[in-house]
């Protein structure tokens, strides 16, 4: 019912009005920025998350458990708190930002700050998708590769990485979906500047505040449709993996 209401309000004045609201300059910029940020975030986390999962699954080091809890902390705390912490760290008056600002490096209230927030917030989803697969992976495959003279890099590329294909795909989709709809941290680090740092969720919020329900619902409908597509793909991938495991 709530999701259906979005489509009802988005199209109640006709498809032409819906398209007009969707093709507005602000809506187009917000959607493009959200897609761009979600794609870059997914790529960065697919690399960083896989490497982190590999280290956690194969190596022992001091403070491994506390570090694992710290990495997964963004899932447990409100994203607006994450955004506030990043702002107080990297902002113009932040602990680190105050020294970087005179050098011209200002990640906050820019696309760089949005990327930083999204990578931080969505990182646990990629780690959570990849690490369980690495934990269950047979060590004998790696040992066989080492016996045949393959180094760590070749073993990872040709033996381990193919086994992570499904987990990487799932983690990337989850990361993309969460990045696409991220609001709390984004509104803190972006400044919500129109045609500069305003992502689709921020555009929806701003349009609702301004009373422009039609424009807000048009963009919300697009995000909802993208979420449905991602959910359907994840469902299909899960259904294919279950018979293979059986």
């Amino acid at each position: 019912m709530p999701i259906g209401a979005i489509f009802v309000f988005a199209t109640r004045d006709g498809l032409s009005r819906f398209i007009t609201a969707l093709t507005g300059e602000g809506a187009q910029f917000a959607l493009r920025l959200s897609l761009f940020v979600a794609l870059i975030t997914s790529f960065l986390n697919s690399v960083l998350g896989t490497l982190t999962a590999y280290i956690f699954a194969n190596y022992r080091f001091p403070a491994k458990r506390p570090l694992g809890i710290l990495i997964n902390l963004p899932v447990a705390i409100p994203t607006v708190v994450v955004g506030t912490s990043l702002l107080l760290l990297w902002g113009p008056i932040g602990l680190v930002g105050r020294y970087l600002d005179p050098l011209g490096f200002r990640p906050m209230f820019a696309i760089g700050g949005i990327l930083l927030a999204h990578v931080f917030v969505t990182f646990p989803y990629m780690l959570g998708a990849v690490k369980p697969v690495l934990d269950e992976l047979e060590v004998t495959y790696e040992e066989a590769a080492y016996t045949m003279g393959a180094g760590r890099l070749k073993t990872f590329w040709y033996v381990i990485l193919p086994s992570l294909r499904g987990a990487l795909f799932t983690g990337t989709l989850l990361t993309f979906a969460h990045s696409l709809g991220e609001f709390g941290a984004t509104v803190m680090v972006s400044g919500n500047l129109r045609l500069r740092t305003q992502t689709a969720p921020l555009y929806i919020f701003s349009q609702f505040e301004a009373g422009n329900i039609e424009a807000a619902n048009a963009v919300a409908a697009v995000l909802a449709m993208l979420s449905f597509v991602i959910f359907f793909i994840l469902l299909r991938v899960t259904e294919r993996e279950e018979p293979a495991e059986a």
Side-chain angles (χ1 to χ4, degrees), residues 139-152 154-155 158-159:
V139 186
T140 51
Y141 296 119
E142 287 186 64
E143 292 175 346
Y146 294 143
T147 304
M148 295 171 67
R152 284 192 177 274
K154 278 191 174 182
T155 301
Y158 291 106
V159 178

Side-chain angles (χ1 to χ4, degrees), residues 69-87 117 120-125 178 182-186 188:
I69 295 171
L70 191 64
I71 289 173
N72 286 287
L73 200 58
V75 177
I77 61 177
T79 54
V80 69
V81 176
V82 174
T84 304
S85 64
L86 290 173
L87 193 59
F120 188 73
V121 168
T122 62
F123 185 81
Y125 297 106
H178 281 274
E182 213 296 309
F183 180 83
T186 310
M188 294 301 298

Side-chain angles (χ1 to χ4, degrees), residues 74-196:
V75 177
I77 61 177
T79 54
V80 69
V81 176
V82 174
T84 304
S85 64
L86 290 173
L87 193 59
L88 293 175
L89 182 64
W90 297 100
I93 59 169
L95 297 176
V96 177
R98 69 179 68 179
Y99 302 107
L100 298 176
D101 192 66
L103 303 175
F105 183 69
R106 303 178 183 92
M108 296 295 102
F109 312 120
I111 293 176
I114 298 173
L115 278 170
L116 184 65
H118 282 225
V119 168
F120 188 73
V121 168
T122 62
F123 185 81
Y125 297 106
M126 179 61 72
L127 186 67
V130 175
K131 189 177 179 300
V133 179
L134 284 171
D135 289 337
E136 295 177 5
L137 197 64
E138 291 288 342
V139 186
T140 51
Y141 296 119
E142 287 186 64
E143 292 175 346
Y146 294 143
T147 304
M148 295 171 67
R152 284 192 177 274
L153 187 59
K154 278 191 174 182
T155 301
F156 180 82
W157 187 261
Y158 291 106
V159 178
I160 298 173
L161 202 57
S163 305
L164 298 176
R165 187 166 48 196
L168 277 171
F169 186 71
T170 302
T172 301
L173 281 180
L174 286 172
T175 300
F176 184 86
H178 281 274
S179 177
L180 199 62
E182 213 296 309
F183 180 83
T186 310
V187 74
M188 294 301 298
V189 303
S190 70
N192 194 15
L193 305 174
R194 186 177 183 273
L195 299 179
R196 287 181 58 190

